[in-house]
Amino acid sequence: MLSLPSFDNQRLIFHAARQTLRKAEMARVAVREWLNQHDCELEEWKSKTASELGISISRLEQKLLASAQHQAITAKGDDDVNSEENSV
């Protein structure tokens, strides 16, 4: 049988995770709607930027994706370092 404090902690963790999932889903829906509404503008921006850089649109998209992945990895690394420093 779980002790009361342990049960309370598990319940709080469960509810926090549920809230996080709901917020993430709401953000995903909002971003998807925004992208759908501004698709034409984004396509124009990609065409103009690719033209200015002298590369194809697909190459620009690859560069943007690589940059976003690099930023995500860097941010995760920074978060890991910060959490390690806080735990020490």
Side-chain angles (χ1 to χ4, degrees):
M1 185 167 150
L2 292 173
S3 68
L4 190 56
S6 175
F7 175 76
D8 285 344
N9 286 338
Q10 287 183 352
R11 189 170 56 101
L12 289 173
I13 290 169
F14 169 76
H15 286 296
R18 237 174 70 198
Q19 285 295 93
T20 301
L21 287 174
R22 280 190 199 134
K23 288 177 184 176
E25 179 61 16
M26 288 182 347
R28 186 190 67 78
V29 168
V31 167
R32 184 179 216 169
E33 287 177 15
W34 187 91
L35 287 172
N36 286 338
Q37 291 172 357
H38 296 85
D39 189 48
C40 185
E41 296 168 43
L42 291 169
E43 291 300 322
E44 287 175 17
W45 177 84
K46 284 192 290 186
S47 296
K48 180 182 173 190
T49 304
S51 176
E52 289 173 355
L53 294 173
I55 59 176
S56 68
I57 293 174
S58 62
R59 181 70 181 134
L60 174 66
E61 289 171 340
Q62 289 172 354
K63 286 181 171 248
L64 290 170
L65 181 60
S67 177
Q69 288 172 338
H70 176 64
Q71 287 177 352
I73 290 169
T74 303
K76 185 179 181 326
D78 291 345
D79 288 345
D80 290 345
V81 168
N82 289 338
S83 66
E84 287 176 10
E85 289 174 355
N86 290 338
S87 67
V88 173

